[in-house]
């Protein structure tokens, strides 16, 4: 057997595999002998079927099977030994004059080669890194939310601006019949508020769903409709008032602090606000980190220039999925996936050049930390190590779940690497300004 590679250009090559009878005949004979031992053919005792009959019936199919096995094993071994960094999979070149009615075969495969390039982490254009701070206004609002959650409901005769109103929304045409509770001042606009202020149990009020609430999710919640329906819903609904209550805010005293923090770590309103600020900014940091990782990804894709074997990849995409694609469909798919492929190559280059990798022990520890945090939410603050190991083992045995955790952990490691090795423009913003700037 002989395998050779011919480079077409820097990104494309052809591998030729020549196979002769000596390469596969012993294996074919071995398989046919095994068939002969097991064959049940009328007129012959088991194991005594003439080899000529076995060859006639099975010889060609066995030969084809063994040649294909040898071809695949030899090609894979060649790619590994030659350390060829390929994209996609080798594509067989179909020959019109190919025939299995011979004992010598020649196969050719197209290869798409990964490009060689360098990644510059010290670019001139600095990426913006956000530090999101919890403003006094946000903290004060969260304090009021806490007081509301732990406050007392007091029945009212008529609704006021800050009343909780419970009732049923109905629109027969859209199949809406939903009992809900909401704050009067959650409604958008003074016109809608005025319709509710002064309302009492038994009153029936007609409302327009369009611009009823500031957020679509609130309309979805109170009407019991899908997110998609809530976006463009513009109908009239009747709202029958059933209850009107007002929340008497809980006192900011030690009793409330102990309900919130059982360890007694909060004894004053100032300490409560400090805790809220700390917790909020931890959550904000996760969002800021994700935004930074997204920005670095876009920056690297835009500023790391290299060519790809585009024609080869489009041909490969035609047969890579469950459904075969037309060339036009494959070109469209390539356009959609090109950016992701480019970052995959950039990420791989960064990891290889800087010794960034994931060990199973790291993934196991990460999974255990994730599980421990979930268990803490249900009151199990100190699970046994053996229990954590068993649960983590089961989680990681699920390939899909293991891949999800691996992706998260790798993102964390890469983000840490970028923070250490790249320079950013730091900007301190409120959460509201962060949302406006990043998701405008």
């Amino acid at each position: 057997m002989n395998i050779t590679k011919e480079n077409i250009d820097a990104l494309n090559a052809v591998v030729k595999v020549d196979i002769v009878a000596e390469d596969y005949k012993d294996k074919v004979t071995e398989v046919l002998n095994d068939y002969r031992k097991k064959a049940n053919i009328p007129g012959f005792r088991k194991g005594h079927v003439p080899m000529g009959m076995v060859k006639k019936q099975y010889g060609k199919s066995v030969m084809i099977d063994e040649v294909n096995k040898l071809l695949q094993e030899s090609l894979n071994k060649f790619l590994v030994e030659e350390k060829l960094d390929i994209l996609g999979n080798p594509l067989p070149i179909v020959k019109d004059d190919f025939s299995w009615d011979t004992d010598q075969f020649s196969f050719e495969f197209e290869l798409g080669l990964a490009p060689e390039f360098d990644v510059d982490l010290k670019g001139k254009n600095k990426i913006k890194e956000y530090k999101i701070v919890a403003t006094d206004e946000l903290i004060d609002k969260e304090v009021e939310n806490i007081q509301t959650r732990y406050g007392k409901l007091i029945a009212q005769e008529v609704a006021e601006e800050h009343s909780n109103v419970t009732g049923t929304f109905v629109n027969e045409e859209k199949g809406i019949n939903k009992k809900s509770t909401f704050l009067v001042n959650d409604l958008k606009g003074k016109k809608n508020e005025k319709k509710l202020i002064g309302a009492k149990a038994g009153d029936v009020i007609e409302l327009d769903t369009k611009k009823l609430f500031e957020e679509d999710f609130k309309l979805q919640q109170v009407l019991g409709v899908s997110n998609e329906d809530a976006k463009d819903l513009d109908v009239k609904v009747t709202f029958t008032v059933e209850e009107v209550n007002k929340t008497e805010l809980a006192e900011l005293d030690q009793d409330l602090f102990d309900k919130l923090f059982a360890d007694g770590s909060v004894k004053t309103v100032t300490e409560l606000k400090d805790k809220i600020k700390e917790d909020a900014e931890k959550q904000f940091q996760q969002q800021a980190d994700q935004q930074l990782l997204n920005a670095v990804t876009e920056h690297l894709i835009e500023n790391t220039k290299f060519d790809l074997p585009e024609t080869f990849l489009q041909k490969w995409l035609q047969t890579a999925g469950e459904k075969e694609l037309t060339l036009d469909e494959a070109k469209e798919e390539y356009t959609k996936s090109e950016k992701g492929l480019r970052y995959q190559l950039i990420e791989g280059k960064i990891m290889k050049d800087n010794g960034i990798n994931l060990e199973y022990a790291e993934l196991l520890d990460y999974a255990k930390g994730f599980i421990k945090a979930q268990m803490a939410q249900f009151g199990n603050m100190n699970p046994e190590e053996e229990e954590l190991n068993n649960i983590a083992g089961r989680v990681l045995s699920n390939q899909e779940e293991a891949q999800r955790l691996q992706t998260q952990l790798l993102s964390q490691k890469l983000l840490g690497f970028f923070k250490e090795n790249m320079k950013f423009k730091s900007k301190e913003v409120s959460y509201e300004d962060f949302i406006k700037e990043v998701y405008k």
Side-chain angles (χ1 to χ4, degrees), residues 300-440:
L300 291 175
I301 291 171
E302 188 176 334
N303 293 279
T304 308
K305 305 299 182 184
F306 53 82
D307 292 325
L308 290 169
E310 184 176 323
T311 302
F312 169 84
L313 289 169
Q314 289 171 358
K315 287 171 65 177
W316 172 68
L317 283 169
Q318 284 186 264
T319 56
E322 292 181 8
K323 177 190 170 186
E324 191 163 332
L325 304 178
T326 65
L327 183 56
D328 286 341
E329 288 172 335
K331 286 180 178 179
E332 186 179 344
E333 185 63 29
Y334 174 78
T335 301
K336 291 178 185 176
S337 59
E338 182 185 359
K339 187 181 277 191
L341 174 58
R342 287 183 177 277
Y343 183 67
Q344 205 173 7
L345 291 170
I346 293 167
E347 185 182 87
K349 173 75 171 171
I350 291 171
M351 291 176 66
K352 182 180 178 182
D353 289 352
N354 297 280
I356 301 171
N357 52 57
L358 286 183
E359 302 290 341
Y360 180 77
E362 290 180 282
L363 187 59
L364 182 64
D365 284 342
Y366 182 74
K368 284 160 62 177
F370 185 75
I371 293 161
K372 194 172 181 180
Q374 286 188 318
M375 295 174 79
Q377 292 178 7
F378 295 95
N380 188 351
M381 307 303 291
N382 295 295
E384 295 289 334
E385 189 68 16
E386 184 179 354
E387 183 182 13
L388 284 174
N389 282 324
N390 289 338
I391 297 173
R394 289 198 299 273
V395 168
L396 295 178
S397 67
N398 180 318
Q399 191 173 357
E400 194 174 305
E401 190 65 17
Q403 183 62 47
R404 186 180 68 82
L405 292 172
Q406 185 174 315
T407 300
Q408 289 179 0
L409 179 55
L410 180 58
S411 292
Q412 283 188 13
K413 294 189 82 166
L414 284 168
L415 181 63
F417 172 80
F418 293 143
K419 284 185 174 183
E420 289 177 9
N421 293 276
M422 296 180 74
K423 291 184 178 179
F424 305 107
K425 289 185 294 185
S426 185
K427 183 174 183 180
E428 191 171 285
V429 293
S430 68
Y431 182 68
E432 188 177 78
D433 287 341
F434 172 77
I435 295 298
K436 284 179 183 177
E437 284 196 31
V438 174
Y439 302 107
K440 58 187 174 184

Side-chain angles (χ1 to χ4, degrees), residues 22-204:
E22 286 73 19
D23 297 322
Y24 61 83
K25 66 179 183 180
D26 289 345
K27 186 63 179 174
V28 170
T29 300
E30 179 186 330
V31 173
L32 290 175
N33 278 325
D34 190 51
Y35 276 27
R36 183 172 179 248
K37 291 175 186 176
K38 298 174 181 176
N40 283 313
I41 296 178
F44 297 96
R45 285 185 297 150
K46 190 174 182 180
H48 290 78
V49 178
M51 179 55 82
M53 185 177 287
V54 174
K55 282 184 178 180
K56 185 176 180 181
Q57 187 168 353
Y58 301 109
K60 189 171 183 179
S61 63
V62 169
M63 182 269 290
I64 293 172
D65 191 37
E66 291 305 320
V67 168
N68 278 322
K69 286 181 185 177
L70 178 62
L71 174 63
Q72 205 59 55
E73 290 169 4
S74 303
L75 181 60
N76 290 339
K77 185 179 178 184
F78 177 79
L79 296 176
V80 171
E81 288 178 348
E82 294 294 312
K83 297 179 180 177
L84 294 176
D85 193 0
I86 66 171
L87 301 178
N89 293 316
L91 290 178
I93 298 173
V94 179
K95 296 180 179 180
D96 294 334
D97 60 349
F98 180 83
S99 172
W100 288 106
D101 295 327
T102 180
D103 60 359
Q104 296 185 22
F105 307 97
S106 183
F107 302 92
E108 290 183 344
F109 295 87
E110 292 181 70
L111 300 182
L113 305 176
E116 292 185 4
F117 59 91
D118 293 314
V119 180
D120 181 13
L121 298 174
K122 308 293 184 185
K124 293 179 182 178
N125 298 325
K126 290 184 182 178
I127 299 165
K128 195 177 289 183
E129 180 182 23
Y130 290 94
K131 176 175 171 53
I132 308 173
V133 295
T135 61
D136 290 342
E137 183 183 357
L138 183 146
I139 294 168
D140 289 341
K141 189 172 182 180
E142 182 54 27
V143 169
E144 187 177 336
N145 288 339
I146 290 171
Q147 288 181 278
T148 301
R149 287 202 304 273
Y150 287 87
K152 295 179 183 177
L153 278 181
I154 300 172
Q156 290 183 293
E157 287 292 324
V158 296
E160 300 172 354
E161 184 181 354
H162 297 285
S163 297
N164 289 297
V165 180
T166 299
T168 301
F169 288 95
V170 174
N171 178 289
E172 292 183 5
E173 183 183 346
K174 292 291 183 180
I176 297 170
N177 192 319
K178 180 75 163 55
K179 183 175 180 176
S180 299
T181 300
F182 59 92
L183 277 168
V184 171
N185 58 349
D186 276 348
L187 292 168
K188 185 176 182 179
K190 293 295 181 184
K191 183 179 177 182
N192 285 323
E193 277 192 23
K194 283 180 181 177
K195 288 184 179 181
L196 266 293
I197 292 174
K200 57 186 181 298
D203 286 354
V204 179

Side-chain angles (χ1 to χ4, degrees), residues 180-235:
S180 299
T181 300
F182 59 92
L183 277 168
V184 171
N185 58 349
D186 276 348
L187 292 168
K188 185 176 182 179
K190 293 295 181 184
K191 183 179 177 182
N192 285 323
E193 277 192 23
K194 283 180 181 177
K195 288 184 179 181
L196 266 293
I197 292 174
K200 57 186 181 298
D203 286 354
V204 179
I205 300 163
E206 188 175 79
L207 296 166
D208 292 312
T209 58
K210 188 176 182 181
K211 296 182 180 179
L212 185 59
F213 294 97
E214 290 286 351
E215 304 292 344
D216 287 339
F217 81 88
K218 187 68 177 178
L219 187 67
Q220 175 189 353
Q221 188 180 58
V222 299
L223 296 185
V225 297
S226 69
N227 182 46
E228 190 175 336
D229 288 342
K231 285 181 181 177
D232 300 309
L233 192 62
D234 185 9
V235 297

